[in-house]
């Protein structure tokens, strides 16, 4: 079955993107988008490489925008140049994987003032630990009712100040740009400066604190990441929001990295609110494991394997089985450990443990 579900005609959606020195990714990104959308708008913010030339091969409009250290300003400019009111925002390092235009059009009619959430697959880590994190990001909307807000990690916001209404759309992208550690660290350093400016300009905000924590996580500074995640969670945040779930889970991993195992046990107090996807349940397994509550850890890992809702690949399958195997191996129950390592399939750490067991 093809990854793409074609429409008989192009629905009136304009793809809008902003660029700066993106020649590495742009051709692939635009070539995948071109067959499916009525219009592509590119606003270049000062490229010194071949970005503008590549954009001209695919885009309907390539425009210049003077960079003012404000991503929303650039986004809103690109949106204003579109011929259609419905906008799909895409970044240059996002590559289209699957799309069903017919279904998207039906959902646009069903949610005329809603914001469509696309699926984005983000690779992270490296070597044997490389995995994929899946998330929903707001990218499809009618510009008559929405605009971008925030100078960094900008968000689509209803123009009239009302509460946003979100709906999932059948389109997915592979997010290539952050898969290289050097690139990720460079962007994190850039983001930190703008986030701190945003914080000073607009005041305390849980989403800004979350993004500061994420930036310090990329920079491998667990202490500062914990500090900002903690500030974000002092607000009355909604546990159902994906960024809030990620903030809680990232906070837990930062605590574990700092070996603050006893402090991490406080996550038991928010279990009912956040055990709604396998990622949090898996994290609780790690917290119990690091506090030597092995029976509880095994129970959480097993529970995670029964859950369908997850973000990071493996938390409800091979990673959970692997950790159960490690616990049983440490307890001297090698037969049980082997059984769980075998459940991990081609997961390299599990295969390595099986190889060692044979020696």
């Amino acid at each position: 079955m093809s990854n793409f579900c074609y429409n008989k005609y192009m629905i009136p959606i304009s793809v809008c993107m902003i660029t700066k020195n993106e020649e590495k990714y742009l051709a692939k990104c635009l070539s995948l988008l071109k067959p499916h959308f009525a219009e592509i708008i590119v606003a270049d913010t000062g490229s010194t490489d071949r970005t503008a030339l590549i954009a001209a091969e695919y885009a309907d409009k390539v425009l210049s925008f003077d960079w003012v250290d404000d991503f929303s300003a650039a986004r809103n400019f690109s949106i204003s140049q579109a011929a259609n009111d419905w906008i799909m925002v895409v970044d240059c390092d996002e590559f289209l994987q699957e799309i069903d235009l017919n279904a998207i059009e039906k959902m646009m009619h069903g949610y005329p003032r809603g914001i469509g959430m696309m699926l984005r697959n983000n690779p992270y880590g490296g070597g044997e630990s490389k995995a994929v994190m899946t998330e929903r990001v707001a990218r499809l909307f009618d510009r008559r009712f929405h605009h971008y807000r925030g100078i960094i990690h900008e968000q689509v916001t209803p123009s009239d100040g009302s509460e946003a209404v979100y709906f999932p759309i059948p389109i997915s992208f592979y997010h290539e740009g952050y898969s290289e550690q050097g690139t990720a660290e460079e962007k994190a350093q850039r983001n930190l400066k703008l986030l701190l400016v945003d914080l000073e300009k607009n005041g305390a905000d849980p989403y800004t604190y979350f993004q500061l924590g994420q930036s310090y996580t990329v920079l491998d500074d667990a202490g500062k990441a914990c500090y900002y995640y903690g500030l974000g969670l002092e607000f009355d945040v909604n546990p159902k929001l994906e960024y809030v779930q990620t903030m809680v889970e990232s906070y837990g991993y930062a605590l574990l990295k700092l070996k603050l195992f006893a402090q991490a046990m406080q996550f038991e107090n928010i279990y009912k609110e956040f055990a709604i996807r396998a990622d949090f349940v898996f994290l609780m397994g790690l917290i119990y494991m690091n506090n030597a509550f092995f029976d509880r850890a095994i129970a959480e890992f097993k529970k995670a394997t029964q859950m369908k809702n997850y973000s990071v690949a493996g938390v409800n399958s091979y990673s959970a089985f692997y950790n159960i195997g490690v616990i049983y191996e440490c307890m001297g129950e090698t037969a049980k450990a082997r059984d769980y390592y075998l459940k991990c399939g081609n997961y390299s750490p599990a295969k390595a443990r099986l190889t060692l067991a044979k020696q």
Side-chain angles (χ1 to χ4, degrees):
M1 182 177 177
S2 172
N3 284 338
F4 300 113
C5 182
Y6 290 95
N7 204 347
K8 294 181 179 178
Y9 60 95
M10 287 187 176
I11 55 179
I13 296 176
S14 293
V15 171
C16 294
M17 63 171 57
I18 58 175
T19 60
K20 185 175 182 179
N21 295 336
E22 298 285 358
E23 66 178 5
K24 182 177 181 179
Y25 302 114
L26 190 58
K28 182 176 180 179
C29 173
L30 293 177
S31 65
L32 290 170
L33 292 170
K34 186 70 174 176
H36 306 286
F37 293 96
E39 182 183 46
I40 297 177
I41 305 292
V42 174
D44 188 72
T45 63
S47 293
T48 56
D49 61 5
R50 297 183 61 254
T51 293
L53 292 174
I54 295 170
E57 295 181 25
Y58 300 94
D60 297 276
K61 291 182 184 178
V62 181
L63 307 152
S64 295
F65 180 80
D66 292 333
W67 181 242
V68 292
D69 286 338
D70 188 329
F71 278 88
S72 285
R75 295 284 190 204
N76 290 329
F77 169 75
S78 67
I79 291 164
S80 72
Q81 302 302 305
N84 302 298
D85 288 322
W86 275 94
I87 306 297
M88 169 74 76
V89 170
V90 179
D91 287 336
C92 302
D93 58 357
E94 295 170 344
F95 303 146
L96 182 64
Q97 291 182 301
E98 298 185 32
I99 184 171
D100 186 338
L101 284 170
N102 290 317
I104 291 174
E105 184 176 28
K106 290 178 182 178
M107 301 187 85
M108 286 163 56
H109 289 302
Y111 296 90
R113 293 189 178 224
I115 301 172
M117 305 285 286
M118 79 176 194
L119 196 67
R120 186 168 69 176
N121 298 307
N122 305 293
Y124 72 96
E128 292 183 349
S129 63
K130 190 167 185 178
V132 174
M133 181 187 76
T134 301
E135 63 180 341
R136 287 275 180 187
V137 289
R139 292 299 183 81
L140 177 69
F141 56 91
D142 189 325
R143 67 179 176 186
R144 291 172 295 182
F145 310 119
H146 302 90
H147 68 287
Y148 270 95
R149 177 181 173 275
I151 66 174
I152 180 68
H153 290 295
E154 61 283 6
Q155 294 178 283
V156 182
T157 306
S159 303
D160 62 3
S162 61
E163 186 174 349
V165 175
Y166 299 99
F167 62 96
I169 52 175
I171 182 171
S172 64
F173 288 81
Y174 183 81
H175 189 201
E176 177 67 28
Y178 281 83
S179 62
E180 300 175 10
Q181 187 61 25
T183 301
E185 291 177 352
E186 182 181 335
K187 289 184 177 180
Q189 291 283 10
R190 176 206 66 188
N191 293 348
L192 276 176
K193 295 177 182 178
L194 293 176
L195 284 164
L196 291 171
V197 170
D198 194 20
L199 196 63
E200 184 177 352
K201 180 180 178 181
N202 297 310
D205 177 80
Y207 186 75
T208 304
Y209 285 137
F210 162 65
Q211 291 295 352
L212 282 164
Q214 292 290 86
S215 295
Y216 279 115
T217 296
V218 171
L219 295 172
D220 199 26
D221 190 334
K224 288 183 178 177
C226 272
Y227 172 73
Y228 284 109
Y229 291 140
L231 288 177
L233 292 170
E234 287 179 3
F235 287 78
D236 184 19
V237 290
N238 183 354
K240 293 183 179 179
L241 293 177
E242 187 165 323
Y243 93 85
V244 174
Q245 295 167 19
T246 300
M247 178 159 54
V248 167
E249 292 154 10
S250 299
Y251 188 22
Y253 280 106
L255 290 172
L256 293 179
K257 187 163 189 176
L258 293 170
K259 300 188 183 303
L260 298 174
F261 305 137
Q263 186 175 336
M265 285 293 291
Q266 295 178 13
F267 277 51
E268 287 183 318
N269 299 328
I270 58 172
Y271 189 92
K272 289 183 179 180
E273 291 84 359
F274 286 95
I276 54 180
R277 67 180 185 180
D279 303 73
F280 182 85
V281 175
F282 178 87
L283 171 63
M284 283 305 307
L286 291 178
I287 292 171
Y288 286 136
M289 188 176 177
N290 281 282
N291 281 281
F293 295 125
F294 298 127
D295 289 340
R296 292 192 216 175
I298 290 172
E300 292 302 308
F301 290 133
K302 285 183 177 179
K303 181 178 178 180
T305 65
Q306 301 300 312
M307 301 178 72
K308 294 182 179 180
N309 183 23
Y310 71 96
S311 175
V312 176
V315 295
N316 65 340
S317 55
Y318 56 86
S319 292
F321 290 136
Y322 174 74
N323 283 316
I324 295 173
V326 169
I327 292 173
Y328 279 132
E329 186 175 357
C330 291
M331 295 170 66
E333 299 189 46
T334 55
K336 287 184 178 179
R338 178 179 173 78
D339 287 343
Y340 278 96
Y341 289 146
L342 288 171
K343 289 177 181 286
C344 298
N346 290 321
Y347 186 47
S348 297
K351 291 172 71 175
R353 299 308 305 169
L354 284 169
T355 301
L356 288 171
K358 292 178 181 178
Q359 296 176 353

